[in-house]
Amino acid sequence: MKNTFGNNVAFTLFGESHGEGIGGVLDGLGAGVKIDESYIEKRLTLRRPSGRISTSRAEKDEYSFISGVFEGYTTGTPIAAVIKNSNVHSSDYSEMKSTARPGHADFTGYAKYNGYNDYRGGGHFSGRLTAALVLFGAIAQKALEDKGIILGTHVSRCAGISDAPFTDYGKEIPILNDRVFAVLDPEAGKKMTDEIQKAADDGDSVGGILETAVTGLPAGLGEPFFDTVEGMLSHALFAIPGVKGVEFGDGFALCDMKGSESNDPFCVKDGEIKTKTNRMGGINGGITNGMPVVFRTAIKPTPSIFKEQDTVDFRTGEEIKLSLKGRHDPAIVHRARAVQDAVASLVLADMLVGRYGSDFFGGDGK
Amino acid sequence: MKNTFGNNVAFTLFGESHGEGIGGVLDGLGAGVKIDESYIEKRLTLRRPSGRISTSRAEKDEYSFISGVFEGYTTGTPIAAVIKNSNVHSSDYSEMKSTARPGHADFTGYAKYNGYNDYRGGGHFSGRLTAALVLFGAIAQKALEDKGIILGTHVSRCAGISDAPFTDYGKEIPILNDRVFAVLDPEAGKKMTDEIQKAADDGDSVGGILETAVTGLPAGLGEPFFDTVEGMLSHALFAIPGVKGVEFGDGFALCDMKGSESNDPFCVKDGEIKTKTNRMGGINGGITNGMPVVFRTAIKPTPSIFKEQDTVDFRTGEEIKLSLKGRHDPAIVHRARAVQDAVASLVLADMLVGRYGSDFFGGDGK
Amino acid sequence: MKNTFGNNVAFTLFGESHGEGIGGVLDGLGAGVKIDESYIEKRLTLRRPSGRISTSRAEKDEYSFISGVFEGYTTGTPIAAVIKNSNVHSSDYSEMKSTARPGHADFTGYAKYNGYNDYRGGGHFSGRLTAALVLFGAIAQKALEDKGIILGTHVSRCAGISDAPFTDYGKEIPILNDRVFAVLDPEAGKKMTDEIQKAADDGDSVGGILETAVTGLPAGLGEPFFDTVEGMLSHALFAIPGVKGVEFGDGFALCDMKGSESNDPFCVKDGEIKTKTNRMGGINGGITNGMPVVFRTAIKPTPSIFKEQDTVDFRTGEEIKLSLKGRHDPAIVHRARAVQDAVASLVLADMLVGRYGSDFFGGDGK
Amino acid sequence: MKNTFGNNVAFTLFGESHGEGIGGVLDGLGAGVKIDESYIEKRLTLRRPSGRISTSRAEKDEYSFISGVFEGYTTGTPIAAVIKNSNVHSSDYSEMKSTARPGHADFTGYAKYNGYNDYRGGGHFSGRLTAALVLFGAIAQKALEDKGIILGTHVSRCAGISDAPFTDYGKEIPILNDRVFAVLDPEAGKKMTDEIQKAADDGDSVGGILETAVTGLPAGLGEPFFDTVEGMLSHALFAIPGVKGVEFGDGFALCDMKGSESNDPFCVKDGEIKTKTNRMGGINGGITNGMPVVFRTAIKPTPSIFKEQDTVDFRTGEEIKLSLKGRHDPAIVHRARAVQDAVASLVLADMLVGRYGSDFFGGDGK
């Protein structure tokens, strides 16, 4: 289904960085879900570039709903929204028509689309499209919250510096959701931004790790094969530009453990079955076990750097030197956290509606 | 679609460990694909437990095609095959009906299926089902090979010991495909098996990392959003029991790099556009760039250990002690490599048929 | 998805007429659905050839469940079943390898599968595969009945003779489900079988119309665009061999009405909103309105006739004369009614699970 | 997938009659397909109300592409377009909030969406949404034409009057595509419009039959089960508001034939395998046979009539009388022909890309 994801709650994404606009269609979330515009605005703000460590292309992300919203609630029919592009300097890119920027999709887009794709500013591959993910993800995230399912993401690692680990999801997730640079330890955050600034000064960029925790999910969500919780989430998370790895629970660190260390012993807490540790990230056999679902993504360094790079002109097949100009982020990890929350929210909403039916979210009727 | 995966080449998996049998249906691979039974048998053998470091439950994996194969070739219609279960000791499991084995899906299966699932030997969650994945994956893998697309997997890390890295895919992949314990450095392999044996002697288990490389894929495969090569592969790879992380190229190691280190510079080799390094694992913007596609999975330690563990009876809600008996693998990483090849082959076949049409694989007509 | 149909309850069909067997996989129906073997057997019997007006190939349809059933109930995981082929006379067909039987799929199968398809007895295109549809449809139909959703089909027209129309669904559907030749008016049924016999004596065949009624469906099922109740049902119904038309409510007869005649006026009966007439077949805007869902299919005459026919050898491109031998049905309409019930049951089960969640069918837990 | 249809070329529809606008997203058609705006405009004009026999709500259908089009060609990424609503008199509808107009989806929409749907002017159920189908269908239809696949639709029957049958597809289809009221026999068309006018004068409405023919399709398109050509087309055609029946070839008329009459004898013409007659509508076993694909839809009379009707207030449960006001079509059959062409084009494009790959349509590269 290419640019559509989800079985019961399906999201379709469209747009190009320097075209008319970007947007999406969300289908199946349910009728009577309240549209909280201040909530959406807050999430869009968390993604938007700001401050010294981001690109100076500051779009307002003014969205308008075309359909699916009526008198402040979802109608149950497809929700379409468009965010018009503004502040577009296409001349920045016109000379790049044939240049394969290393780490970018210029060459692969050319190979796939036989040269017809909109090359300006990355076109459909641009990180700009994630604004539409955040817009729609916010609707899903708010609907999840209203069901007691809370999620939040922190910059677990950036530029070689680690944030503190989660110790109390219930307290920490709401704090993260109020922070522009989402770290649990503000000291670590300060060091990260310093390193990002240093990289920027050097014409370079950095990457990081984003860790997300979700609380309140019922046990029994997901499928044993293929549509596992891990499979569904990872499928969508890899659509976030820059993500090159996804792990659940202790992930790659499990490889060096013994089974006696990695197994989470079951126990009973307050009458409910829980596990004493959560090395599996809340998932056994592809299915939620009632513990917080925890996962991490590896975000590669932003590929747009100002240092001179070797590359090719993919139309002529010549090797050339590239020195980028324009406006670029020295890091996107702190902005991508809002995208990660959004994508995860859309996937979880889909899985919940699949399990509990099309009226799971939404109102009691009007 | 739950137990079905793939858009154009779709695979459906079924079965329980101690039921009648396991099997699957493969639809859309194309007509006239030669069924090479010795190739299939070889792949099944690589997955089958063998030697001192595996379970003593040694099934022969005798499969029979029910449909879709005629006179040695695929007919183009759905290929169904069944592997009957034999050597089943159900009495081993009958007392486990209510016991949540740590690290297993007993509790989550109970929560999802309201207690109706076949609990014997893990039921539908059993690693046994991966035999069907290997059977069908072998058909796809052979079809890929006939198109010049070659893949292989090695145990990149196990029990704290690392294998040598790939240095020459063209030479090394065929060697791996002939090794029962797939390592590039046999010395490392020897150390790993020693450690697995030690863990077994201790009633414990180990995990590892499996690294797969795929050569010969054209540039331009995959979609920018959602159906990225990473997204499609990871979705299916997480269905392999024990996988808790998936990374492409340098994956999580990218997080500590600068952009000037992580970007793969483009160059021209023998008239073709290539990259000098391959930190992106052959994928830019979700789409293949013509370099080898490389990915790694994190395999958690086998959850079945003989040490006493704390757990609960999920029907009574009581906390209990568990001491497993029976036949269990102290490691599955070396067997899972065949499953990883199989799953990757099925996904790549799907993406290729989506791009090049339903006659991509198969014969010229008869 | 080719040979798989359904979003939440998905059915995959496989098999060839003269291969190892036929079968299917049903995924998503829910856990704890009782498997009623006598119910299944009864439905299979209704489809099976019998009496003077059917082919003398009388297979017993001995099915075996491979997976998904445990202690008499569905486990919630995929249900796979195989019906082995027996009583196969492949020699009947070997000389037909290149002959395009008029009205059959020999030529189109050849064109699609480049000559690799199993041509014996129609291969994958054989009406034989409908036994698997009936087997799985029976599971769904019984589950629907347990929810108060009752459906039945009668031979509304055959060989130019019309059956009586439905006048009381509640009474008549159960009667139909007990009749081998499903008509409301046994006199009409007698005339139909006489005409079928006459056609058979003449080496010819006849077609007919099958009308199905479904009671007990809630209002609000279906989607406004694409996944309308009509669209979902028709998509699957056209998979029944021989179906060339599908209409809902008064269908094609609506074309000659005025709006003032065709509109069903709403009214209140016993406190529920109903319509006074049901010319729309229980569906407005693609969505059920709480009235019985009623539809009809046009079944073409069986294409296998004994009269000499003009045709071609599609390998040599020569025009030839064809005189069929072997065992063939002079009519399938009376057998297809069981297939129609089955297909409709699978589709409706899918739509109900989509709306009410994965626990809609099935047990309260065990 | 609800409001998305298609496997390889997928179309998503959104919008409400009296909301911000309507539109859609088309994904997978291919890169380098020329966007011919005059062609699109012509198709939109054929759907638009005009003359005395249509509603006086005359929207201009001014569309704008948001994405997926660059320098006059498709980019290969999702094509999104929006048609803003104008000329909206919402006050016409405000008092209808609880009234179940007979033949409309007011009640079923209420039942499905728990009262949250936009009730104004039919909301998402409005025929207005078909403008978006025509817009996107025109892109697909033009792409088909460029591949030699030509389709056209005539009003085969309306208000009790029959048009002449097709006698020469090659000549007649282009003529139909130039006629506002698409009939093969202009005399019959004149009688039909007279009857429509009479019904309008009487406050009533009429229905009809639309017959479509498609030439130039290769043999071998479609799947034997479920994704048959008939199944795929009918699934989508039933999404056209008012369609209550779909038949292929001779459809329901086949029921009264003998097999010796209904079977299309194969023959060789100009070195190609053809059939002498085309009672099967170009499809055997769900797969195209190289003959023209021919199908008909039954269009019910427009449900909006001015005669007083019995109905209910579905919020209070009271029986009421309804006298509609406002602007309504006494017939839509002549406008729906453009929608039918559009929907068929989208489905056939999907099937062709599935068979021949993602570059089937589109340019050779730029």
Side-chain angles (χ1 to χ4, degrees):
Chain A
M1 289 301 296
K2 301 183 172 72
N3 288 274
T4 297
F5 190 77
N7 296 315
N8 290 282
V9 178
F11 179 66
T12 300
L13 185 67
F14 57 79
E16 277 86 32
S17 175
H18 287 58
E20 193 67 23
I22 61 167
V25 187
L26 181 60
D27 194 11
L29 186 67
V33 175
K34 198 167 175 8
I35 298 293
D36 183 334
E37 296 197 5
S38 69
Y39 190 96
I40 293 170
E41 187 51 41
K42 187 176 163 189
R43 301 304 307 180
L44 286 170
T45 302
L46 293 177
R47 192 208 72 96
R48 201 171 299 141
S50 68
R52 55 186 175 124
I53 58 167
S54 296
T55 172
S56 56
R57 177 181 177 181
E59 302 243 1
K60 278 189 199 161
D61 300 331
E62 283 178 3
Y63 62 91
S64 60
F65 288 114
I66 308 296
S67 69
V69 176
F70 180 53
E71 297 179 347
Y73 292 88
T74 61
T75 58
T77 56
I79 308 167
V82 171
I83 307 175
K84 289 286 181 79
N85 288 328
S86 58
N87 197 2
V88 172
H89 299 181
S90 289
S91 57
D92 293 3
Y93 296 95
S94 54
E95 66 188 57
M96 302 293 294
K97 189 174 173 178
S98 303
T99 304
R101 289 172 299 159
H104 277 282
D106 307 311
F107 169 62
T108 56
Y110 170 78
K112 179 175 178 61
Y113 300 116
N114 304 322
Y116 292 99
N117 57 313
D118 182 350
Y119 55 83
R120 297 169 301 165
H124 185 60
F125 295 90
S126 168
R128 170 102 184 104
L129 272 85
T130 61
L133 285 168
V134 172
L135 163 55
F136 285 95
I139 299 171
Q141 191 172 348
K142 182 66 171 62
L144 289 167
E145 284 187 10
D146 292 346
K147 288 286 185 180
I149 299 161
I150 314 291
L151 75 160
T153 297
H154 72 122
V155 181
S156 168
R157 188 168 173 88
C158 179
I161 294 146
S162 289
D163 189 24
F166 277 113
T167 54
D168 182 339
Y169 299 116
K171 270 196 202 161
E172 291 162 344
I173 290 174
I175 292 171
L176 287 176
N177 284 330
D178 281 331
R179 288 191 175 154
V180 173
F181 195 99
V183 282
L184 293 167
D185 171 8
E187 275 306 300
K190 169 107 189 39
K191 285 183 202 159
M192 290 177 191
T193 51
D194 286 350
E195 287 301 316
I196 295 171
Q197 184 60 52
K198 270 192 223 166
D201 294 345
D202 204 28
D204 216 328
S205 67
V206 301
I209 294 175
L210 288 174
E211 183 178 53
T212 302
V214 191
T215 63
L217 285 170
L221 205 64
E223 303 290 335
F225 282 95
F226 303 126
D227 286 359
T228 61
V229 175
E230 295 108 324
M232 290 294 284
L233 278 168
S234 70
H235 190 151
L237 289 167
F238 275 115
I240 302 175
V243 171
K244 297 299 286 187
V246 175
E247 61 179 8
F248 292 82
D250 283 7
F252 279 88
L254 291 165
C255 307
D256 283 352
M257 295 184 194
K258 294 276 163 56
S260 55
E261 299 165 284
S262 62
N263 278 351
D264 297 311
F266 285 96
C267 62
V268 177
K269 274 186 200 156
D270 305 328
E272 295 203 356
I273 294 172
K274 298 288 170 193
T275 59
K276 294 184 185 180
T277 52
N278 191 18
R279 298 194 184 284
M280 293 300 124
I283 306 163
N284 294 132
I287 296 172
T288 54
N289 64 13
M291 294 293 291
V293 167
V294 181
F295 57 90
R296 271 175 303 284
T297 56
I299 312 275
K300 69 172 183 175
T302 324
S304 295
I305 59 172
F306 294 99
K307 295 194 165 180
E308 189 185 78
Q309 298 179 86
D310 291 334
T311 192
V312 299
D313 178 309
F314 48 75
R315 288 174 194 270
T316 64
E318 277 177 296
E319 298 195 335
I320 56 173
K321 298 284 179 188
L322 168 68
S323 292
L324 279 178
K325 291 163 199 163
R327 305 163 297 178
H328 304 292
D329 291 279
I332 54 155
V333 63
H334 55 295
R335 296 175 57 194
R337 56 69 76 101
V339 187
Q340 186 147 313
D341 285 340
V343 167
S345 296
L346 290 166
V347 173
L348 294 170
D350 179 33
M351 300 190 89
L352 286 157
V353 169
R355 175 129 177 82
Y356 298 110
S358 58
D359 283 350
F360 178 72
F361 296 111
D364 295 332
K366 79 169 186 180
Chain B
M1 287 301 295
K2 302 183 172 72
N3 288 274
T4 296
F5 190 77
N7 297 314
N8 291 283
V9 179
F11 180 66
T12 300
L13 184 68
F14 57 79
E16 276 89 31
S17 175
H18 287 57
E20 192 67 22
I22 62 166
V25 187
L26 181 60
D27 193 11
L29 187 66
V33 175
K34 199 169 177 3
I35 297 294
D36 183 333
E37 296 196 6
S38 69
Y39 190 97
I40 292 170
E41 187 50 42
K42 187 176 162 188
R43 302 302 308 179
L44 286 170
T45 302
L46 293 178
R47 191 208 73 94
R48 202 172 297 140
S50 68
R52 57 185 175 124
I53 57 169
S54 297
T55 172
S56 56
R57 176 181 178 181
E59 303 243 0
K60 278 190 198 159
D61 300 331
E62 283 177 4
Y63 62 90
S64 59
F65 288 113
I66 307 297
S67 68
V69 176
F70 181 51
E71 299 179 344
Y73 292 87
T74 60
T75 57
T77 55
I79 308 167
V82 170
I83 307 174
K84 289 286 181 78
N85 288 327
S86 58
N87 197 2
V88 172
H89 300 181
S90 288
S91 57
D92 293 2
Y93 296 95
S94 53
E95 66 187 57
M96 302 292 294
K97 189 174 172 177
S98 304
T99 305
R101 289 171 299 159
H104 277 282
D106 307 310
F107 169 61
T108 57
Y110 170 77
K112 179 174 178 61
Y113 299 115
N114 304 322
Y116 292 98
N117 56 313
D118 181 351
Y119 56 82
R120 297 169 300 165
H124 185 60
F125 295 89
S126 168
R128 168 106 186 100
L129 272 85
T130 61
L133 285 168
V134 171
L135 163 55
F136 285 95
I139 299 171
Q141 190 172 349
K142 182 66 170 62
L144 288 167
E145 284 186 10
D146 291 346
K147 288 286 183 181
I149 298 161
I150 315 292
L151 74 161
T153 297
H154 71 122
V155 181
S156 169
R157 189 170 174 86
C158 178
I161 294 145
S162 290
D163 187 24
F166 278 114
T167 55
D168 181 338
Y169 298 116
K171 270 195 201 161
E172 291 161 345
I173 291 174
I175 293 171
L176 287 177
N177 284 331
D178 280 332
R179 289 191 173 151
V180 173
F181 194 98
V183 282
L184 294 168
D185 172 8
E187 275 307 301
K190 169 110 191 36
K191 285 184 201 158
M192 290 176 190
T193 52
D194 286 350
E195 286 302 314
I196 295 171
Q197 185 59 52
K198 269 193 223 166
D201 293 346
D202 205 28
D204 216 328
S205 66
V206 300
I209 294 175
L210 288 174
E211 182 178 53
T212 301
V214 190
T215 63
L217 286 170
L221 206 65
E223 303 291 335
F225 282 95
F226 302 126
D227 285 359
T228 61
V229 175
E230 295 107 324
M232 290 293 285
L233 278 169
S234 69
H235 190 150
L237 289 167
F238 275 115
I240 303 173
V243 171
K244 297 299 285 188
V246 175
E247 61 180 7
F248 291 83
D250 283 6
F252 279 88
L254 291 165
C255 307
D256 283 353
M257 295 183 195
K258 293 276 161 58
S260 55
E261 298 166 284
S262 61
N263 279 351
D264 297 311
F266 285 96
C267 62
V268 178
K269 274 185 199 157
D270 305 328
E272 294 203 357
I273 294 172
K274 298 288 170 193
T275 60
K276 293 183 184 179
T277 52
N278 190 18
R279 298 194 184 285
M280 293 301 124
I283 306 162
N284 293 132
I287 296 172
T288 53
N289 63 15
M291 293 293 291
V293 166
V294 181
F295 57 89
R296 272 175 301 283
T297 56
I299 312 276
K300 69 172 184 176
T302 323
S304 294
I305 59 172
F306 294 99
K307 296 194 163 180
E308 189 185 79
Q309 298 178 85
D310 291 334
T311 191
V312 299
D313 178 309
F314 49 74
R315 288 174 195 270
T316 64
E318 276 178 297
E319 298 194 336
I320 57 175
K321 299 284 180 190
L322 169 68
S323 292
L324 279 179
K325 289 163 201 164
R327 306 163 295 177
H328 304 291
D329 290 278
I332 54 155
V333 64
H334 55 297
R335 296 175 57 195
R337 56 70 76 101
V339 187
Q340 186 147 313
D341 285 339
V343 167
S345 295
L346 290 167
V347 174
L348 293 171
D350 179 34
M351 300 189 89
L352 285 158
V353 169
R355 175 127 178 83
Y356 297 110
S358 57
D359 282 352
F360 179 72
F361 297 111
D364 295 332
K366 79 170 186 180
Chain C
M1 290 300 296
K2 301 186 172 71
N3 289 274
T4 297
F5 190 77
N7 297 314
N8 291 283
V9 178
F11 179 66
T12 300
L13 184 68
F14 57 79
E16 275 87 30
S17 175
H18 287 58
E20 193 67 24
I22 62 167
V25 187
L26 181 60
D27 193 12
L29 187 68
V33 174
K34 198 168 176 7
I35 297 293
D36 184 332
E37 298 197 5
S38 69
Y39 190 96
I40 293 171
E41 188 50 41
K42 186 176 162 189
R43 300 304 306 179
L44 286 170
T45 302
L46 292 179
R47 191 208 73 95
R48 202 171 298 142
S50 68
R52 56 185 173 124
I53 57 167
S54 296
T55 172
S56 56
R57 177 180 178 181
E59 303 243 0
K60 278 192 200 159
D61 300 330
E62 283 178 2
Y63 62 90
S64 60
F65 287 113
I66 308 297
S67 68
V69 176
F70 181 52
E71 298 178 346
Y73 292 88
T74 62
T75 58
T77 56
I79 308 166
V82 170
I83 307 175
K84 290 285 181 79
N85 287 328
S86 58
N87 196 2
V88 172
H89 300 181
S90 288
S91 58
D92 293 0
Y93 297 95
S94 54
E95 64 189 59
M96 302 292 295
K97 190 176 173 177
S98 303
T99 304
R101 289 172 299 159
H104 277 283
D106 307 310
F107 169 61
T108 56
Y110 170 77
K112 179 175 178 62
Y113 300 116
N114 304 322
Y116 292 99
N117 56 313
D118 182 350
Y119 55 83
R120 298 169 300 167
H124 184 60
F125 295 90
S126 168
R128 169 103 185 105
L129 272 85
T130 60
L133 285 168
V134 171
L135 163 55
F136 285 95
I139 300 171
Q141 190 173 349
K142 182 66 170 63
L144 289 167
E145 284 186 10
D146 291 346
K147 288 287 184 180
I149 299 161
I150 314 292
L151 75 160
T153 297
H154 72 122
V155 181
S156 169
R157 189 168 174 87
C158 178
I161 294 145
S162 290
D163 187 24
F166 278 114
T167 54
D168 181 339
Y169 298 115
K171 271 196 201 161
E172 291 162 344
I173 291 175
I175 293 171
L176 287 177
N177 285 330
D178 280 332
R179 289 192 174 152
V180 174
F181 194 98
V183 282
L184 294 168
D185 171 8
E187 274 306 299
K190 169 109 190 38
K191 285 183 201 160
M192 290 176 189
T193 51
D194 287 347
E195 287 301 315
I196 295 172
Q197 185 60 51
K198 269 192 225 167
D201 294 345
D202 203 29
D204 215 329
S205 66
V206 300
I209 295 175
L210 288 173
E211 183 178 54
T212 302
V214 190
T215 64
L217 287 170
L221 205 65
E223 302 290 335
F225 282 95
F226 304 126
D227 285 359
T228 60
V229 175
E230 294 108 325
M232 291 293 284
L233 279 169
S234 69
H235 190 151
L237 289 168
F238 275 114
I240 303 174
V243 171
K244 297 298 285 187
V246 175
E247 60 180 9
F248 292 82
D250 284 6
F252 278 88
L254 291 165
C255 306
D256 283 352
M257 295 183 195
K258 293 277 161 57
S260 55
E261 299 165 284
S262 62
N263 279 350
D264 297 312
F266 285 96
C267 61
V268 177
K269 275 186 199 155
D270 304 328
E272 296 204 356
I273 293 172
K274 297 289 171 193
T275 58
K276 295 182 185 181
T277 53
N278 190 19
R279 299 194 183 284
M280 293 300 122
I283 306 163
N284 293 132
I287 297 172
T288 53
N289 63 14
M291 293 294 290
V293 166
V294 180
F295 57 89
R296 271 176 302 283
T297 55
I299 313 276
K300 69 171 184 176
T302 324
S304 295
I305 58 173
F306 294 98
K307 295 193 166 181
E308 188 185 78
Q309 298 179 84
D310 291 333
T311 191
V312 300
D313 179 309
F314 50 74
R315 288 173 195 272
T316 64
E318 277 178 296
E319 298 195 336
I320 56 174
K321 298 285 179 189
L322 168 68
S323 291
L324 279 178
K325 290 162 200 164
R327 306 164 296 179
H328 304 291
D329 289 279
I332 54 157
V333 63
H334 55 295
R335 297 174 56 194
R337 56 70 75 100
V339 187
Q340 186 147 312
D341 285 340
V343 167
S345 295
L346 290 166
V347 173
L348 294 170
D350 178 34
M351 300 190 89
L352 286 158
V353 168
R355 174 129 179 81
Y356 298 110
S358 57
D359 282 351
F360 178 72
F361 297 110
D364 295 332
K366 77 169 188 180
Chain D
M1 289 300 296
K2 301 185 172 71
N3 289 274
T4 297
F5 190 78
N7 297 314
N8 290 282
V9 178
F11 180 66
T12 301
L13 184 68
F14 57 80
E16 276 87 30
S17 175
H18 288 58
E20 192 68 24
I22 62 167
V25 187
L26 181 60
D27 194 10
L29 186 67
V33 176
K34 198 168 177 7
I35 297 294
D36 183 333
E37 298 197 4
S38 69
Y39 189 97
I40 293 170
E41 186 51 41
K42 186 176 162 188
R43 301 304 306 180
L44 286 170
T45 302
L46 293 178
R47 191 208 73 97
R48 202 171 298 139
S50 68
R52 57 187 174 121
I53 57 168
S54 296
T55 172
S56 56
R57 178 180 177 183
E59 302 243 1
K60 279 191 199 159
D61 300 331
E62 283 179 2
Y63 63 89
S64 60
F65 288 113
I66 307 298
S67 69
V69 176
F70 181 51
E71 298 179 345
Y73 291 87
T74 61
T75 58
T77 55
I79 308 167
V82 171
I83 307 175
K84 289 285 181 80
N85 288 327
S86 58
N87 196 2
V88 172
H89 300 182
S90 289
S91 57
D92 293 2
Y93 297 95
S94 54
E95 65 188 57
M96 302 292 295
K97 190 175 173 178
S98 303
T99 305
R101 288 172 300 158
H104 277 281
D106 306 311
F107 169 61
T108 56
Y110 170 78
K112 178 174 179 60
Y113 299 116
N114 304 322
Y116 291 98
N117 57 313
D118 181 351
Y119 55 83
R120 299 168 300 166
H124 184 59
F125 295 90
S126 168
R128 168 105 186 103
L129 273 86
T130 60
L133 285 168
V134 171
L135 163 56
F136 285 95
I139 299 171
Q141 190 172 349
K142 183 65 171 63
L144 289 168
E145 284 187 9
D146 292 346
K147 288 286 184 180
I149 299 161
I150 314 291
L151 75 160
T153 298
H154 71 123
V155 181
S156 168
R157 189 169 172 87
C158 178
I161 294 146
S162 290
D163 188 23
F166 277 115
T167 55
D168 182 338
Y169 298 116
K171 269 194 201 162
E172 291 162 346
I173 291 174
I175 292 171
L176 287 176
N177 284 330
D178 281 332
R179 290 193 173 150
V180 173
F181 194 98
V183 282
L184 294 167
D185 171 8
E187 275 305 299
K190 169 108 191 35
K191 284 183 202 161
M192 291 176 188
T193 51
D194 286 350
E195 287 300 315
I196 296 171
Q197 185 61 51
K198 269 193 225 167
D201 293 345
D202 203 31
D204 216 327
S205 67
V206 300
I209 294 175
L210 287 174
E211 182 179 52
T212 301
V214 190
T215 64
L217 286 170
L221 204 67
E223 303 290 336
F225 282 95
F226 302 127
D227 286 359
T228 61
V229 175
E230 293 108 325
M232 290 293 285
L233 279 169
S234 70
H235 190 150
L237 288 168
F238 275 115
I240 303 175
V243 171
K244 297 299 286 187
V246 175
E247 60 179 9
F248 292 82
D250 283 8
F252 279 88
L254 292 165
C255 307
D256 283 353
M257 295 183 196
K258 294 274 160 59
S260 55
E261 298 166 284
S262 61
N263 278 352
D264 297 311
F266 285 97
C267 61
V268 177
K269 273 185 200 158
D270 305 328
E272 295 202 356
I273 294 172
K274 297 289 170 192
T275 58
K276 294 182 185 180
T277 52
N278 190 19
R279 298 195 183 285
M280 293 300 124
I283 306 163
N284 293 133
I287 296 173
T288 54
N289 63 13
M291 294 294 291
V293 167
V294 181
F295 56 91
R296 272 175 301 284
T297 55
I299 312 276
K300 69 172 185 176
T302 324
S304 294
I305 58 173
F306 294 98
K307 295 192 166 182
E308 190 185 78
Q309 297 178 86
D310 291 334
T311 191
V312 299
D313 179 309
F314 49 74
R315 289 174 193 272
T316 63
E318 276 177 296
E319 299 195 336
I320 56 173
K321 298 284 180 188
L322 167 67
S323 293
L324 279 179
K325 292 163 199 162
R327 304 163 296 177
H328 305 293
D329 290 280
I332 54 155
V333 63
H334 56 295
R335 296 175 57 194
R337 55 71 74 100
V339 186
Q340 186 147 314
D341 285 338
V343 167
S345 295
L346 290 166
V347 173
L348 293 171
D350 179 34
M351 300 190 89
L352 286 158
V353 168
R355 174 128 177 83
Y356 298 109
S358 58
D359 283 352
F360 178 73
F361 296 111
D364 295 331
K366 77 170 189 180

